[in-house]
Amino acid sequence: MAAHRPYPTLETLLAASDEAAYDLTSGDLAEALAGEATTALTDRGNFAVHTALRAAHAAYEAKFGHSFVIDLDTADPAEALDLTLASLRQRLGHDEDEESVVTAEQLRRICRARLLRLARASAEASA
């Protein structure tokens, strides 16, 4: 993406980002996941819920060999913990190929949300 800068519009940048995400190889996906940390949702739920979350994350990492990623950008913060646990449980049932597709889509959505936040921050700073 950097080689094609500058992008004339935000829509063009987002389209390029989406296209790059769809073209990820397994090596690209592994590299992208290495830079992602497990999201902490420590402000919600009780000890038992967080114990279950840690166990599910550990099971996921043991099965797939990388951190669990999920786009919660548009999720209600009050529901983020439940959504994360439900997604972890569902995705633990995936085989490696199926989970690779889901993980790539989650990374695409996370990247898109980050680009939108950066664009908004840049527009506000310029105003």
Side-chain angles (χ1 to χ4, degrees):
M1 286 189 53
H4 300 289
R5 292 181 308 181
Y7 292 93
T9 65
L10 177 59
E11 291 76 25
T12 306
L13 172 63
L14 294 174
S17 173
D18 286 346
E19 184 66 30
Y22 294 131
D23 292 339
L24 290 175
T25 66
S26 59
D28 295 333
L29 187 58
E31 183 180 342
L33 288 167
E36 293 296 323
T38 301
T39 302
L41 299 169
T42 56
D43 60 334
R44 306 250 183 245
N46 60 33
F47 179 75
V49 171
H50 285 282
T51 299
L53 182 62
R54 282 190 299 277
H57 272 280
Y60 181 93
E61 289 181 16
K63 181 173 182 176
F64 297 111
H66 59 78
S67 296
F68 173 80
V69 291
I70 184 171
D71 172 35
L72 296 171
D73 194 62
T74 60
D76 179 344
E79 297 175 1
L81 187 59
D82 290 336
L83 288 171
T84 301
L85 278 169
S87 185
L88 269 161
R89 288 183 179 130
Q90 176 189 23
R91 290 168 59 185
L92 276 166
H94 291 171
D95 64 27
E96 203 168 306
D97 290 337
E98 185 178 17
E99 183 55 23
S100 180
V101 170
V102 173
T103 299
E105 173 60 16
Q106 291 299 309
L107 282 171
R108 184 196 68 78
R109 291 171 58 184
I110 290 167
C111 183
R112 186 177 188 83
R114 288 174 179 167
L115 287 171
L116 286 168
R117 278 194 300 277
L118 284 170
R120 278 188 228 116
S122 177
E124 289 171 5
S126 297

